[in-house]
Amino acid sequence: MNKIHGHIAAIAVVCVWGTTFVSSKVLLGAGLMPAEIFLMRFVMAYLCLACVSHRRWLTRSVTDELTMMGLGVMGGSLYFMMENMALVYSTAANVSILVSTSPLLTALLVSLFYKSERMNGKQVLGSFVAFIGTVLVILNGQLVLHLNPKGDVLAFAAAGTWAVYSLLMKRVMGRYQTDFITRKVFGYGVLSILPYFALVHPMDVHLAQLMQPKVMLNLLFLGLIASTCAYMAWNWAMQKLGAVKATNYIYMQTIVTLIAGAVILGERITVMGLCGMVILIVGMVRALKKG
């Protein structure tokens, strides 16, 4: 039963994360910078969790505390900065495809350290098929990709940081409460993004901006739902399903994004996109099966 709940939680999370681009697009249109959006949603999430998870503030050892710091950097600030810097130098399609390699990288990295989570041949094939479907969904009718080495390397590195996040999570999940781990992730994510504002781009947010209903509502969605609830649920799902199996659900995020773009922004879904959805789902189901 716990595993069933884990699958449900993972699906719910990718559905939420697949729609965050709409909220981010609204906030960017209102004049907020990507780093400012990240900081505000993580601060909001940290404060929410601090209100309900305040029995423990430090881990049991220095090693565990460093692991928590790594989680905040790899699953928060560094992942975010690499992905957004990649978009500066490369196309959105290139970045999306390369970031979507995270399930494959996670499977490879975790299998090197944990024999119990190694995928068999059919699961590897299923994951690769799901990735091909993801590529078709992202392209959605576009047939030309342009290589942009600097941006593409950054995007691939972003996928790698998420794989490291999954590996580090294996070290602490089960030993600490999910709310405690998630709060530490947000806390270290906030601390590690601050040097960016000090050294690269000072924060420039005005109260009048934040008081706009569309800005306030989208920030609340990103902070309370997409961060607080979704990260909690994701970390819990990884504990129940394992890092590799849970991460395979990230492939579904592109389907949600494509559908949300069609429904909310009026973007067109092509035959290639529809075929990609079918291939993605078939591959993901195969990757999630044991036998």
Side-chain angles (χ1 to χ4, degrees):
M1 185 61 72
N2 277 339
K3 285 196 173 183
I4 293 175
H5 291 158
H7 288 293
I8 293 171
I11 292 170
V13 170
V14 296
C15 286
V16 170
W17 283 348
T19 60
T20 54
F21 84 100
V22 177
S23 289
S24 296
K25 196 166 184 177
V26 170
L27 294 173
L28 290 169
L32 297 179
M33 299 294 292
E36 293 168 345
I37 297 170
F38 170 84
L39 179 65
M40 285 186 282
R41 65 184 281 189
F42 263 50
V43 167
M44 195 184 307
Y46 180 82
L47 293 175
C48 286
L49 282 174
C51 291
V52 298
S53 173
H54 47 73
R55 294 180 182 176
R56 175 188 290 271
W57 293 97
L58 295 174
T59 56
R60 300 185 185 100
S61 68
V62 174
T63 302
D64 285 351
E65 196 67 31
L66 289 174
T67 300
M68 296 293 186
M69 186 184 300
L71 285 168
V73 173
M74 293 298 175
S77 57
L78 188 59
Y79 173 84
F80 165 84
M81 292 305 299
M82 283 185 170
E83 186 178 56
N84 281 275
M85 285 173 65
L87 287 168
V88 174
Y89 300 107
S90 189
T91 63
N94 281 33
V95 173
S96 297
I97 289 170
L98 289 167
V99 169
S100 294
T101 62
S102 60
L104 289 171
L105 293 177
T106 298
L108 176 63
L109 188 60
V110 173
S111 67
L112 290 175
F113 293 90
Y114 296 94
K115 186 177 180 180
S116 61
E117 287 223 39
R118 288 178 186 171
M119 292 195 296
N120 58 41
K122 290 182 179 179
Q123 287 177 308
V124 172
L125 177 61
S127 188
F128 182 73
V129 169
F131 174 69
I132 297 300
T134 300
V135 172
L136 294 177
V137 170
I138 292 168
L139 291 177
N140 194 28
Q142 302 175 49
L143 296 176
V144 180
L145 283 176
H146 302 282
L147 294 177
N148 302 276
K150 192 172 183 178
D152 294 345
V153 167
L154 283 168
F156 190 69
T161 63
W162 192 260
V164 174
Y165 174 85
S166 301
L167 179 65
L168 292 175
M169 186 62 70
K170 288 277 297 177
R171 290 176 54 89
V172 294
M173 63 186 188
R175 297 170 56 198
Y176 297 96
Q177 293 292 326
T178 304
D179 55 350
F180 173 74
I181 296 173
T182 310
R183 194 193 73 224
K184 299 291 280 189
V185 170
F186 292 138
Y188 281 119
V190 168
L191 289 175
S192 56
I193 197 70
L194 293 180
Y196 171 84
F197 293 106
L199 302 173
V200 181
H201 194 289
M203 194 166 182
D204 185 26
V205 178
H206 304 286
L207 184 61
Q209 279 179 296
L210 301 180
M211 293 307 293
Q212 297 177 54
K214 65 178 182 180
V215 172
M216 188 182 300
L217 288 173
N218 281 285
L219 277 175
L220 287 172
F221 169 73
L222 290 175
L224 301 182
I225 307 300
S227 295
T228 308
C229 297
Y231 266 80
M232 278 268 292
W234 184 256
N235 292 340
W236 182 83
M238 278 207 293
Q239 184 176 349
K240 299 302 177 185
L241 302 177
V244 173
K245 189 171 286 188
T247 305
N248 269 305
Y249 275 107
I250 287 178
Y251 288 129
M252 278 187 62
Q253 190 171 319
T254 54
I255 294 179
V256 178
T257 300
L258 188 68
I259 294 173
V263 174
I264 301 172
L265 301 179
E267 296 174 349
R268 187 170 64 96
I269 299 178
T270 67
V271 173
M272 179 187 286
L274 290 172
C275 290
M277 288 186 193
V278 174
I279 294 171
L280 191 161
I281 292 170
V282 170
M284 198 181 70
V285 169
R286 178 64 269 178
L288 291 171
K289 282 186 177 180
K290 269 290 183 187

